[in-house]
Amino acid sequence: MKAETARLTVAQALIHFLAVQHSEQDGQRQRLIPGVWGIFGHGNVAGLGQALEEYGDGLKLPTYRPQNEQGMVHVAAAFARHRNRLQTFACTASVGPGSTNMLTGAALATINRLPVLLLPSDHFASRLPDPVLQGLEHPSEHDLSVNDCFRPVSRFYTRISRPEQLLSALPEAMRVLTDPAETGAVVLSLPEDVQAEAYDWPAAFLQPRVWRVRRPAPETELIEQAAALIRAAKRPLIVCGGGVIYSGAHEALAGLAAAFGIPVVESQAGKGALPWNHPMNAGPVGSAGGLAANRLAKGADLVIAVGTRLGDFVTASRTAFQHEGVQIVGLNVVAMDAAKLGALSLVADARAGLEALQAALQGHRVDEGYAGEVAALKGRWDAAVDDARRDTGSTPPSQGSVIGRVNDSVGGRATVICAAGSLPGDLLRLWRPLDSKSYHVEYGYSCMGYEIPAGLGVALAEPGRRVVVMIGDGSYLMMNSELVTAVAENLDLTVVLVDNRAYMSIRGLQLECGSPSFNNELRHRNPLTGRTDGETVQLDFVQHAQALGAQATRADTLDALDDALVRAAHGGVHVIVVPVNLRERVPGFESWWDVPIAAVSGQAGVNAARRHYEQQVAGQVRYFTPSGQPAKETL
């Protein structure tokens, strides 16, 4: 008997397939792809554009229109992060620049382990129109296109040159999207002629399918080894990463920390897994870390890294963990991450691993002297945060006081969003979240321009939650166009635009490296010097935001900021422009970040910075002895 088929174009079959894919974890099922973001051009308007127009409504697969292709990938990534990677959007773009505009978003998603489905259009598979408008010509590789740039920044990439290739490519794409260890940018490159080709699709291919997001359990033998290391440790420390939040391991983490007296320190992605006022939460660690966490890290004889990539900022460029013979236990669903720094590697879901560790540690508790030290350090850190957030009376106000006022006004359950500049470090130290979705700072790629699109993604992921984007003026100038999208979609979004006159984070780093300020301030080119060190360029961000459809105001004082935040709470898209001073900066707290200084220079400041740099480099741990290994044999 002949199998039942459905005759559809490749584009039509693709959206029919996406509309019936579901993810499931712990019995909770949801649409994996609840919508499509797209900007149409000649490469996709007659293919995917036609399919979405004809079938999108019936399939309950809405199409959203952004203003920039990079922005729509950021929306999808932020949406996926807020939904614990159980849902994401598909993004379609036309041939050439439309598709390559998605590259930065793809890199961000892959680096942050966030699922996004990208559908860039490609040159004709037939090669009859050759070169097609916006197509790349390569002298020796005729099958090369600009879309091949996606290969190094994607977790899965394929080009669909024939309709039947979709039958194997789409299931593999869904598998990668829903695999917690492999997820990232998934790219199906679609030649514009293939999108419009018809094919007889097996009916079974278009039937609903559920993809279970796995929770791998740790190996019993390794749990026993890890438990033995924890029992032997005098000063254990848990480093909490984003994997804790994605796996829903908050209660397991809190239970283990409280039961055994083990303090928890946070990464950017892990902040919020425990409320800021939890007695075992010692705050952020590493290059942008706080006093308590960095001191605990320095003396820790055992580091339990849970759901973290152990990136450069968390380890303070390998200077955070200074105890001689420190042992590392890595609990991560990604084997590569679990094994970092010579760790005893527990490849497992964070919640499953923490629950197994708690069961294996029954009856154990660290020395009360260590618990008392943790409590004292946390008290000092909380006081330091209070001080950094206080109103100093300066006009314009300090960035720390602005963060404090925004946090106090919107509360600890609103979602704050940021990505780049000096704000991420200050937010990591000063923002006080009360739940795991109230802190959303993208710091894997630290991508300027992520912030406003991410606000859209979070607003769509959880309607009704207060969403506050905190963004510097430099990032705002890169991707403000998605304010138009937020207005068009009738979203509620508050943007606090911190105006410090351009790239002041990097200017500060530049000065610390011994160089004078150069090309980071927003100034006119000086005809006398030939450099950008003339008068400051005057911008009216309020009028600009209003021109894009937002309600906008300027707040020169903290009281004016309070009033503006109250008005913004009534809904709609609001931009609050807040100038901040450059003198009062949040200090560092016994941390370091490896930024190499020029080894040779005629500038005294650079030479002094180089001497200091060489002193700091001497403190880097070049090699961590593998943890949990048998005792050395006598030779």
Side-chain angles (χ1 to χ4, degrees):
M1 185 174 67
K2 186 176 181 180
E4 186 178 350
T5 61
R7 189 160 183 81
L8 299 166
T9 68
V10 167
Q12 293 164 1
L14 190 154
I15 69 165
H16 276 79
F17 180 92
L18 295 181
V20 292
Q21 304 304 301
H22 298 79
S23 67
E24 182 179 275
Q25 189 175 55
D26 301 332
Q28 297 292 318
R29 184 177 299 180
Q30 50 274 310
R31 289 272 295 271
L32 176 59
I33 310 291
V36 179
W37 285 77
I39 293 181
F40 299 132
H42 69 274
N44 61 349
V45 70
L48 279 167
Q50 186 280 327
L52 288 164
E53 192 285 324
E54 182 175 358
Y55 295 107
D57 293 343
L59 295 172
K60 297 182 180 180
L61 195 69
T63 302
Y64 301 87
R65 182 198 178 281
Q67 313 310 312
N68 182 287
E69 292 90 353
Q70 180 186 149
M72 69 184 176
V73 185
H74 294 334
V75 172
F79 179 89
R81 173 172 169 169
H82 200 81
R83 298 291 296 163
N84 281 345
R85 306 191 297 191
L86 299 175
Q87 289 183 294
T88 189
F89 288 117
C91 300
T92 174
S94 189
V95 173
S99 289
T100 54
N101 277 350
M102 296 196 293
L103 282 167
T104 295
L108 179 145
T110 297
I111 286 171
N112 286 284
R113 319 285 168 79
L114 296 170
V116 295
L117 177 61
L118 307 185
L119 306 172
S121 301
D122 213 330
H123 58 204
F124 277 64
S126 70
R127 310 286 167 76
L128 290 177
D130 186 36
V132 70
L133 176 65
Q134 299 175 317
L136 173 72
E137 288 186 278
H138 192 279
S140 61
E141 297 184 50
H142 201 201
D143 62 343
L144 192 73
S145 86
V146 294
N147 288 0
D148 287 281
C149 294
F150 282 101
R151 294 181 185 273
V153 296
S154 304
R155 293 296 294 174
F156 175 79
Y157 174 91
T158 190
R159 179 177 286 118
I160 305 300
S161 299
R162 293 175 57 88
E164 57 267 36
Q165 291 173 349
L166 208 63
L167 294 170
S168 58
L170 271 175
E172 180 64 6
M174 299 303 106
R175 184 194 68 78
V176 175
L177 286 172
T178 55
D179 189 306
E182 292 191 40
T183 197
V186 168
V187 180
L188 272 65
S189 189
L190 300 169
E192 61 175 292
D193 55 341
V194 175
Q195 289 181 45
E197 286 187 34
Y199 186 76
D200 293 321
W201 304 94
F205 177 66
L206 305 177
Q207 292 301 306
R209 184 166 179 178
V210 178
W211 301 85
R212 188 174 183 279
V213 179
R214 58 192 178 91
R215 285 193 182 278
E219 298 176 56
T220 302
E221 181 181 350
L222 292 175
I223 284 291
E224 292 172 354
Q225 289 185 45
L229 290 176
I230 295 171
R231 289 180 183 276
K234 302 297 183 185
R235 303 176 61 82
L237 181 70
I238 297 171
V239 178
C240 169
V244 173
I245 295 174
Y246 297 140
S247 70
H250 324 83
E251 293 183 5
L253 176 64
L256 186 144
F260 309 121
I262 306 175
V264 176
V265 298
E266 307 164 313
S267 71
Q268 282 280 13
K271 186 176 176 69
L274 293 185
W276 73 270
N277 53 5
H278 189 284
M280 301 311 297
N281 185 350
V285 70
S287 297
L291 179 70
N294 281 342
R295 289 191 178 179
L296 289 170
K298 185 176 181 180
D301 58 357
L302 176 69
V303 175
I304 308 164
V306 185
T308 171
R309 299 189 304 135
L310 287 175
D312 184 30
F313 258 60
V314 170
T315 69
S317 301
R318 293 196 171 209
T319 63
F321 311 127
Q322 289 289 326
H323 189 283
E324 186 177 359
V326 63
Q327 301 274 291
I328 313 286
V329 172
L331 170 55
N332 205 297
V333 73
V334 180
M336 174 179 65
D337 293 332
K340 286 176 179 173
L341 305 188
L344 174 66
S345 178
L346 303 181
V347 181
D349 170 76
R351 192 180 81 183
L354 288 169
E355 290 172 346
L357 280 174
Q358 185 163 0
L361 288 168
Q362 291 302 311
H364 172 69
R365 187 166 179 84
V366 299
D367 183 83
E368 289 303 320
Y370 182 51
E373 179 186 345
V374 171
L377 280 171
K378 178 173 174 54
R380 289 185 62 185
W381 172 239
D382 288 346
V385 173
D386 288 338
D387 185 63
R389 288 165 49 123
R390 68 183 174 86
D391 180 4
T392 64
S394 65
T395 302
S398 69
Q399 184 163 282
S401 65
V402 168
I403 290 172
R405 283 297 181 95
V406 175
N407 197 175
D408 289 343
S409 177
V410 303
R413 298 191 188 281
T415 298
V416 65
I417 296 173
C418 192
S422 60
L423 277 168
D426 288 357
L427 286 165
L428 180 64
R429 295 181 177 114
L430 305 184
W431 193 264
R432 287 173 161 170
L434 292 174
D435 67 49
S436 65
K437 294 304 175 186
S438 55
Y439 186 82
H440 184 125
V441 174
E442 186 282 301
Y443 214 61
Y445 208 38
S446 187
C447 182
M448 296 177 72
Y450 171 82
E451 298 92 340
I452 292 174
L456 276 68
V458 173
L460 290 168
E462 190 179 350
R465 177 180 277 265
R466 184 81 185 268
V467 180
V468 179
V469 170
M470 293 201 70
I471 185 171
D473 53 307
S475 286
Y476 175 85
L477 288 171
M478 286 194 173
M479 193 69 71
N480 52 68
S481 59
E482 298 308 335
L483 285 174
V484 176
T485 311
V487 170
E489 291 293 337
N490 304 311
L491 298 177
D492 297 331
L493 183 67
T494 301
V495 177
V496 178
L497 196 170
V498 178
D499 183 4
N500 60 10
R501 279 75 74 195
Y503 304 150
M504 289 305 167
S505 172
I506 294 302
R507 176 183 179 272
L509 179 60
Q510 190 173 52
L511 296 176
E512 290 174 11
C513 294
S515 295
S517 178
F518 174 65
N519 210 46
N520 280 312
E521 300 178 59
L522 189 58
R523 294 181 178 275
H524 289 280
R525 186 168 298 280
N526 187 334
L528 298 178
T529 66
R531 293 189 172 197
T532 52
D533 59 0
E535 294 296 319
T536 300
V537 177
Q538 299 299 318
L539 299 177
D540 192 330
F541 290 112
V542 171
Q543 287 193 10
H544 179 267
Q546 289 172 343
L548 296 182
Q551 302 176 62
T553 188
R554 181 182 172 97
D556 289 299
T557 66
L558 294 175
D559 288 342
L561 173 60
D562 288 338
D563 293 341
L565 288 166
V566 170
R567 291 194 297 273
H570 295 298
V573 179
H574 290 257
V575 175
I576 306 170
V577 181
V578 188
V580 296
N581 71 56
L582 306 181
R583 302 181 307 277
E584 299 174 341
R585 302 184 67 183
V586 177
F589 293 93
E590 301 179 6
S591 63
W592 180 67
W593 184 34
D594 191 345
V595 178
I597 310 297
V600 178
S601 173
Q603 296 176 311
V606 173
N607 292 329
R610 176 68 189 192
R611 289 191 293 272
H612 178 70
Y613 173 75
E614 290 173 353
Q615 293 171 0
Q616 296 297 316
V617 165
Q620 285 182 305
V621 179
R622 302 301 176 93
Y623 181 74
F624 286 85
T625 302
S627 301
Q629 296 298 305
K632 296 179 181 178
E633 295 182 4
T634 303
L635 296 178

